[in-house]
Structures are given as C-alpha cells and as structure tokens.
Amino acid sequence: MRSVVGLTKFVMGTNLVGASLSLLYLFWFSSSSAEASVSYDYKAITIDGQRRILISGSIHYPRSTPEMWPDLIMKAKEGGVDVIQTYVFWNGHEPSRGEYNFEGNYDLVKFIKLVQQADLYVHLRIGPYVCAEWNFGGFPVWLKYIPGMNFRTDNEPFKYEMQKFTKMIVQMMKSEKLFQSQGGPIILSQIENEFGPVEYEIGQPGQVYTDWAAKMAVAQGTGVPWVMCKQDDAPDPIINTCNGFYCDYFYANKPYKPKIWTEAWTGWYTEFGGAVPHRPVEDLAFSVARFIQKGGSYVNYYMYHGGTNFGRTSGGPFIATSYDYDAPLDEFGLLRQPKWGHLKDLHRAIKLCEPALVAADPIVISLGPRHEAHVFKSNSGACAAFLANYDTESFGKLPFANMHYNLPPWSISILPDCKNTVFNTARVGAQSSQMKMTPVSVNGKLSWEAYSENGGSFDSSFSMVGLLEQINITRDVSDYLWYMTDVYIDSNEEFLKTGEYPVLNVLSAGHALHVFVNGELSGTSYGSLEFPKLTFSQGVNLRAGDNKISLLSIAVGLPNVGVHYETWNAGVLGPVSLTGLNEGWRDLSWQKWFYKIGLEGESFGLHSVTLSSSVEWVRESLSSQNQPLTWYRATFDAPEGDAPLALDMNSMGKGQLWVNGQSLGRYWPAYKATGDCANCSYAGEYNEKKCLTNCGEASQRWYHVPSTWLNQTGNVLVAFEELGGDPSGITLVKREIDTVCADIFELQPTLMNWKMHALRRAVTLRPKAHLWCSSHQRISKIKFASFGTPEGSCGNFRQGSCHAFHSYDVFERICLGLNSCSVTIDADNFGGDPCPNIMKKLSVEVVCS
Ligand SMILES: *[C@@H]1O[C@H](CO)[C@@H](O)[C@H](O)[C@H]1NC(C)=O
Ligand SMILES: *[C@@H]1O[C@H](CO)[C@@H](O)[C@H](O)[C@H]1NC(C)=O
Ligand SMILES: *[C@@H]1O[C@H](CO)[C@@H](O)[C@H](O)[C@H]1NC(C)=O
C-alpha cells in the first residue's frame, strides 16, 4: 500500500512515450496542486515525495460547536500546527442501528472541510473504537445487544459491524474527495486504537483480530497510510505508533517505518471526585524536543483543544463534563498561556531544523553523565543540534562546537544552525495569562421556578421477581433507573419501641444511588472511576405496616476502556437486605421489584423549550430549596459581548443542565476532589498525579454554555437536581483574562533574534516582553514589574535582592490604556543596570479589564 498513488503516477508518467512528455506530465501534475501522494519511509511521512516534520493537534469535533470550529482551527494553525487529528465517534453518528446522524457538532465532513480551507492536513482516526473518555468508548449501546456479540476480538458479529461502519466512513470521505490522494486534506487514517494491551491479555483471538482489522483497513483503498497506535505487532504496511507522556524511547516495528507519536498528552482528563491535572509546558516541550532529537518526525498533541463532553457523552464512568485536558486551547477555545505560545515557539524552532532533520540521522555525542548533543548534519550542509540537560536539579554548562551553552535543569536547547540557541524548553518567553470568571448581567437575577419529581411513586413500567442489570433495561436512553419494592413491618418489631432503625444494605454495580423510603430521601452513595461499585448501608425510618423502598440507580457514563468492558454491569444487582429486625436479617433481593426507566420529568420533556410548560411549575421559594429530585427553570437574556460563557454551579449538588433544550452535560460540584495538590515542579518525569489543582473543592464548578446556543432574549435554562441545592447561587459568568505576565531573561534566546543574528551577527538584540489582553480589554494597571532578580511566578511575583528602581515607569508610560504593548528588555529602559555582572530578568504582571 505504501506509495500506491505515487507509484501510479510514476507508472503513468513513464508509460507516456519519451522523457519530455513524462516531465510535462509531472509538471502539470504538481502545478495542479490537486491530488498528492502520501507515503512514508524510515524517516518520515512523505507528501509528494517530500519528507515532512509534522506537528499535529487533536480537536474532537463533537466536543465543541460548529461555530467554534473555524476559530479553533485558526488558533491551531497560528500555533504552528500542520495537521488536525480527530477520532470518529460512532455512537454519535449511529445512535440507533441504521439511523445516522451527521448534523450539528457531528457534521464530520464540514469539520474536515474547514480544516482543508485553513490549509491544514487531517489525521482521521476511524477506530471505530476510540476510548477517548467517551461514553462506551465510542461504541453504540445497541452494538452490545446484537446476539453473539463480543467487542474487539475475533468475533463475527463484531467484525461485521466494525467493517460496515469503517466502510461507510471511508466511502463518505471518498465521495467528498477528502483523502489527500484525491486532493483532500486527509493524509493519515487509523484503524482500531490502543489494541496492543488488550491483545496481550486475550492472546490468540486478539492476534487474529489485529490481522483482520489491518487487512480490512488496507482493503479500503484510501491511498493514504494507516496507523495503529500502541500496537507493536501492527502488520505491514500499517505503521505502529506511540501514545504517552514521553515517546523518545519508542521505535516502529520495522526499520522502514517512521517514528510517530499519535498522542503526546498535554495534560490529563478530570474525573468527578478527582483533582484537576496540569502538565507544565516546560516538560511538554522537553518531551517533544526529546522525541524529535531521537529521530521522531510526527507529533500529535492530545488534546490541542479538549473541549466539553456535552449531553451524556462522557465515559469512564465518572468522567467530568469538562474535557479541558490542560490543552493549549482551553475548554472555551481561548489560548492557554504560556502553553500555547511556548509550543508555538518550539514549533518554529523545530521547523527551522527541518532541512537537517529530514536529511540526516542524528549523531549522539555524550557531553557528560547527564548531558548530550544530538546533531543532524546533511550532505548539503544543513546542520541542526539539540543539546540536552537531563539533570532534574542542576543547570548544565555544555561544551559544544568550541562554545559553552548554559541549560536549565531538565531542558533541551535547539540550535538550527548548530551554533545559535533559538529555543530552550525551560525558558518560557511567551506571555502567561491568568483567567477569571466574572458574573455577567442577564437582565436581572435569574428567577427560578421549580417542579418536584415524584420521588419513588409506584408508577412503574413493569415488575419482576429479582434485581435486573441496569444498562440492559435502560439501553442508556437515560441515566436513571428506579428499583422499587414493598416491605411489610409487623407492629411487634422491637425497633418500633427502641427507635433503633433497621439497616438497609444495598450492593450496587454502580454508579450512584439515592435511597428513598416512603418518598423521603434517606441517603446517597456513589462510586468513583477507580471503584464504580458501591454499598449503601444505613439505618432507615420504617413504620409499622406497608413501606415503600425506592432505589434510584444512576449511571454516570459507561466505561470506555478495559478488556471486554462491554460486559461490565451497572445498577442494583444486590443483595439488598434489611438487618436489625426481629427475624435478624431479611433478604429483599428475590422479592417482587417494580421498575421504571428514567424520570417523570424526562418523559414529559421538561428540558425542552416546547414541552417544559407541560407541567405546573411553582415560583421558587425558600421551602423548595435543598430538595432532592427537583427540576428548576429560569429564563434569561443573553449578556453583551463575545466572551465565552459558563454557569457557576457551585451551590448545587448533582444533576444535569440544559439551555434552550441543548444539554450542557452532567454537573456534580458536590463531588469534591481528593488528591495532593502540594507540589508542582516542571523538572522530572511527569505523571497525571503531579501538578493538581482543586483539591478539597468541586472537581468541576463551571459548565460551558456555548454562546451560539443562546438567543438574544428568553433563553430557557433547566437544571435537574438530584440531591438538593440552592439554585439562587447559580450565576452566568464570562471567561476573560484577569492579568497577563511576562517573565523573561535578558539574554533569552528568541527566534526573531536568531534570524537577525544570521544577518548581522555583531549586533546583540534584546528580547521583548509582549503583553496583550482580550480584544475588548485594556491594560488598566501595572500590578508588578521588576528588572533584576525577581522571584515567584505569574500571580505571585516578588522583588529579589536586585531590582531596578524604575522598573514600573516604562510600562506605565507605554502600556497603560492599551490593548497590548511590547517593551524591550534593556537596562536603559529601567533606568540603568541595577546589578552589573549578574544574570537579570524581567518579571511583569499587568491587569486587563
Ligand atoms: C437482558 O435482559 C433480558 C430480559 O430480562 C435477558 O433475557 C437477557 O439475558 C439480558 N441480557 C444481558 C446481556 O444481560
Ligand atoms: C513535595 O515536595 C517535598 C519536597 O521536595 C517532598 O518531600 C514531598 O514528598 C512532595 N510531596 C509530593 C506529594 O510529591
Ligand atoms: C431561539 O431562536 C430560534 C430561532 O432563531 C428558535 O427556534 C428557538 O425556539 C429560540 N429559543 C428560544 C428559547 O426562544
């Protein structure tokens, strides 16, 4: 399959009699800029025979709105990205078997065409298994219930459905001419996803399945290469690729395949109950430079924009609604600074090295126990060097080519001419921004109405002896399933006199459970991503005679990963028992249970604009606050301006949210984050437990409201609250820049400087501090400025022992009142050198408003 298209071209060319004609043909071909051949060799992906160093970024189309796509794509392009990578989300496209959806944020073709219009490439990861912290790993729930079904193994019903969907997507791309071989932007595809570890567990049927999947994919004849990530035995011609925080150690399984990193993790996902992970950009840049210096030629950031798990699309279970991922573009599509800017600088530095990188193999020179140089020298004279200091604590002074280079700990310097450092991974020249969430006016305060869900009414759909598995019953049309039963209590029961309530014990396969006794909430229990199962064990207020026990079992996203995760259960599988009765112990598991799928409000369609008036809402009052199982509704006008919007849900417990009938996802601020938020140093191996925030607070407090889902007036906001909360605390907020900082050494390498150097080597140019606010903001205050030896980081800078007395003046003169400004880092600008012969830097923080 390699170079199928290139080969066709060549054969056609030589078939035309005479060299001049074939030259003519080739000339016509390349100037048409239509079809191009994509192939690969041991160094790189080749496009029209040219080896390319490619920077890619994951943006998952359903995790934002179509109105956001052009801006996200442009910001990726400005950030130095060449390729947009996305999965294809089967369960979004085929919600019922044979019924397809390619509308709205599932308009895959539109998304790819927007990428094409921006002149970027696409890597299409068809899967159709995607993992992705997405509900059921991207598989439709109906797939599980096809007779004889086993996911992701040598299973005929599965292979039939997988092939059918893969074929359909490939046909759709072909008919829209979206493969590069047809003149489209898609240069790579992916079949399956991280299957290697599963194959390792299940053995032979897994190997058979891998071979089948590879052959099936190649047979689609897309004209572009396929990859299989985390699949060491990927059969030719498929390229096996790496996913991880670091991939420099990785090599493809054949010497003629390039070294590709399909997922360079920019951060990590947030789960309800977990702290929020962050990956310092110094370490991310270090890992990418390390990959490139060892011959890597393709890096994809997972995620470049993480976005939002709208509706009930998050998997896990327990994956939060925000899929921010600490990506270079934040959940709302704003630049995360300095991450975005520092990676942009890295990409420019790498691109300056491209001629040497694609032409030569690295020569590794040891410069000390923890110091190394990787040098790429081409026959045509190009030379690029990467100098590395792997020490996590000490600066390094590296001797290289008759010079000495100073490197911070855990960093790599890039020298595109083997002389001048244009970039160091730990020296962040890009501005940092601190963001804030500011309440906005919605034409008055949100005024709430409430509707109370009938907690544990015996309005059931059917009854059965025994306890049933939840997903089989709901087929995931709702998170909710009621299990209800009668309990008769004899008036002789001892506890009726002592007041020592009997204990109800419920074992559930997950994920959350609210227990109602005679219509009153008696307690709640829930699991976590690591332990979805739960036990409820609590005294319950039973009375003599008939009692009604109603268990509301709640799914919080279906699992997306694990060997045969499709067999994992949810719901109250029992046993359910009472202890503390005269008889000692009473098993309720095998009595008659009444079932009801979903909530009353769901069946009325209370979340929708047209149906929300089908019930009597009551004006919200103090008495209806803090009530479980309550629907709340308010209308509001859209605020002014174009800043991204969110709802602050911190006063609420757990539930779901809609605006104008569109689901904003599950909210659960009552689930506080556990974890250790103490330490964060960029130096040293990163893992997802490092650099956490939100410990002891809500894992997710703010919920993205895409502004294109709002009308100017009369927007309907609906929340369904399970536990009880205070809706008067809900506020609409906008996300904007609070302060921006620059923190730059006086002799910081900068790309611009390097280019000037190349022209006029004698002149030492000074770096500049660039500061800019959001488009509608102005710099209103200089919060901190110090040229000298300031300490701390953006948000908590402080003066060091050396400080230029006039550090503030230049910023007050040049920046105040402007949207953006630039100041050269030169002692003269700050009233002279405050401490000669000491390495100085400038730290500045300004307020945007
Ligand atoms: C689903 O439920 C039906 C009817 O209760 C039962 O026959 C079937 O075995 C269940 N399927 C699974 C996969 O649990
Ligand atoms: C934080 O850093 C200190 C000092 O380096 C160390 O003793 C401690 O174990 C670290 N804590 C965590 C959670 O890494
Ligand atoms: C918002 O406007 C659209 C059409 O512009 C309309 O269909 C929809 O009903 C409106 N929503 C509300 C809540 O008024």
Side-chain angles (χ1 to χ4, degrees), residues 450-521:
Y451 174 79
S452 186
E453 179 85 11
N454 202 346
S457 78
F458 261 45
D459 168 22
S460 66
S461 356
F462 64 95
S463 64
M464 271 302 250
V465 169
L467 295 161
L468 298 174
E469 199 279 327
Q470 179 161 345
I471 308 306
N472 191 11
I473 307 299
T474 65
R475 298 294 160 103
D476 201 36
V477 298
S478 168
D479 280 358
Y480 304 98
L481 179 64
W482 284 104
Y483 295 73
M484 300 170 284
T485 197
D486 292 302
V487 171
Y488 183 77
I489 294 295
D490 197 278
S491 52
N492 293 333
E493 283 290 347
E494 199 58 27
F495 81 83
L496 293 171
K497 291 174 212 130
T498 63
E500 234 173 86
Y501 292 138
V503 172
L504 177 68
N505 306 287
V506 182
L507 254 70
S508 165
H511 309 137
L513 184 74
H514 304 312
V515 175
F516 294 83
V517 173
N518 299 322
E520 297 287 321
L521 178 64

Side-chain angles (χ1 to χ4, degrees), residues 87-108:
Y87 283 126
V88 176
F89 295 84
W90 187 0
N91 53 8
H93 293 305
E94 196 176 355
S96 310
R97 198 177 183 188
E99 283 175 31
Y100 295 100
N101 168 30
F102 288 90
E103 303 288 308
N105 61 343
Y106 287 97
D107 194 342
L108 174 60

Side-chain angles (χ1 to χ4, degrees), residues 251-306:
Y251 287 95
N253 62 12
K254 294 286 169 52
Y256 43 81
K257 295 180 185 177
K259 176 166 167 158
I260 293 183
W261 192 357
T262 30
E263 294 188 11
W265 298 329
T266 54
W268 199 246
Y269 56 80
T270 299
E271 66 198 69
F272 287 126
V276 181
H278 302 270
R279 185 174 188 188
V281 70
E282 295 92 333
D283 175 65
L284 178 57
F286 175 72
S287 70
V288 170
R290 202 164 160 167
F291 180 74
I292 300 288
Q293 76 176 2
K294 290 190 82 176
S297 55
Y298 187 109
V299 178
N300 175 72
Y301 294 101
Y302 188 100
M303 302 295 297
Y304 197 81
H305 171 254

Side-chain angles (χ1 to χ4, degrees), residues 609 660 711 714-716:
V609 175
N660 292 338
N711 293 339
N715 299 291
V716 180

Side-chain angles (χ1 to χ4, degrees), residues 72-377:
L72 297 174
I73 294 164
M74 275 323 294
K75 284 171 173 165
K77 184 175 180 169
E78 277 173 45
V81 164
D82 309 300
V83 185
I84 302 295
Q85 187 207 72
T86 183
Y87 283 126
V88 176
F89 295 84
W90 187 0
N91 53 8
H93 293 305
E94 196 176 355
S96 310
R97 198 177 183 188
E99 283 175 31
Y100 295 100
N101 168 30
F102 288 90
E103 303 288 308
N105 61 343
Y106 287 97
D107 194 342
L108 174 60
V109 167
K110 179 175 182 170
F111 180 75
I112 295 177
K113 287 187 171 170
L114 284 169
V115 177
Q116 182 174 25
Q117 280 164 28
D119 241 333
L120 298 180
Y121 297 121
V122 170
H123 180 192
L124 192 67
R125 302 172 87 188
I126 296 175
Y129 170 69
V130 300
C131 193
E133 290 71 65
W134 188 260
N135 199 42
F136 225 30
F139 286 142
V141 172
W142 54 257
L143 188 67
K144 171 178 167 178
Y145 296 98
I146 290 174
M149 179 62 60
N150 281 306
F151 286 3
R152 304 177 76 203
T153 185
D154 185 22
N155 169 270
E156 291 309 321
F158 179 76
K159 291 191 298 186
Y160 175 82
E161 295 294 331
M162 171 167 166
Q163 176 163 0
K164 189 168 155 224
F165 182 74
T166 304
K167 226 178 182 145
M168 193 203 64
I169 294 297
V170 168
Q171 281 313 318
M172 179 180 275
M173 299 301 112
K174 279 187 181 172
S175 66
E176 299 282 347
K177 300 210 179 318
L178 293 175
F179 288 106
Q180 177 87 148
S181 51
Q182 306 172 290
I186 304 173
I187 54 165
L188 278 179
S189 287
Q190 178 179 298
I191 196 72
E192 247 295 337
N193 184 52
E194 300 192 342
F195 185 67
V198 176
E199 184 181 306
Y200 180 81
E201 294 282 327
I202 67 175
Q204 206 258 348
Q207 290 159 17
V208 174
Y209 167 68
T210 296
D211 283 341
W212 169 84
K215 284 202 182 76
M216 185 272 284
V218 172
Q220 302 303 316
T222 61
V224 303
W226 291 84
V227 308
M228 288 177 120
C229 62
K230 282 173 90 166
Q231 182 86 54
D232 294 343
D233 61 353
D236 282 3
I238 293 184
I239 309 165
N240 62 309
T241 63
C242 186
N243 296 352
F245 288 119
Y246 305 89
C247 277
D248 47 290
Y249 60 86
F250 169 85
Y251 287 95
N253 62 12
K254 294 286 169 52
Y256 43 81
K257 295 180 185 177
K259 176 166 167 158
I260 293 183
W261 192 357
T262 30
E263 294 188 11
W265 298 329
T266 54
W268 199 246
Y269 56 80
T270 299
E271 66 198 69
F272 287 126
V276 181
H278 302 270
R279 185 174 188 188
V281 70
E282 295 92 333
D283 175 65
L284 178 57
F286 175 72
S287 70
V288 170
R290 202 164 160 167
F291 180 74
I292 300 288
Q293 76 176 2
K294 290 190 82 176
S297 55
Y298 187 109
V299 178
N300 175 72
Y301 294 101
Y302 188 100
M303 302 295 297
Y304 197 81
H305 171 254
T308 310
N309 293 315
F310 295 115
R312 300 189 302 112
T313 60
S314 60
F318 296 96
I319 296 296
T321 294
S322 169
Y323 198 64
D324 179 88
Y325 225 88
D326 201 34
L329 301 180
D330 72 17
E331 179 182 2
F332 302 85
L334 300 176
L335 304 188
R336 170 165 280 119
Q337 290 284 45
K339 205 168 215 172
W340 180 88
H342 192 52
L343 294 177
K344 176 184 169 133
D345 290 345
L346 168 68
H347 303 152
R348 288 167 64 193
I350 291 171
K351 284 300 165 78
L352 289 170
C353 302
E354 187 168 4
L357 292 175
V358 296
D361 296 328
I363 299 156
V364 186
I365 306 165
S366 172
L367 304 174
R370 308 195 59 76
H371 301 155
E372 252 178 13
H374 288 73
V375 184
F376 297 77
K377 247 186 187 141

Side-chain angles (χ1 to χ4, degrees), residues 35 37 146 198 218 422 445 558 656 664 760 772 784 796:
E35 293 137 58
S37 70
I146 290 174
V198 176
V218 172
V422 301
K445 215 168 140 52
L558 302 187
Q656 292 181 39
L664 300 174
R760 297 184 299 160
W772 61 92
F784 181 90
N796 51 41

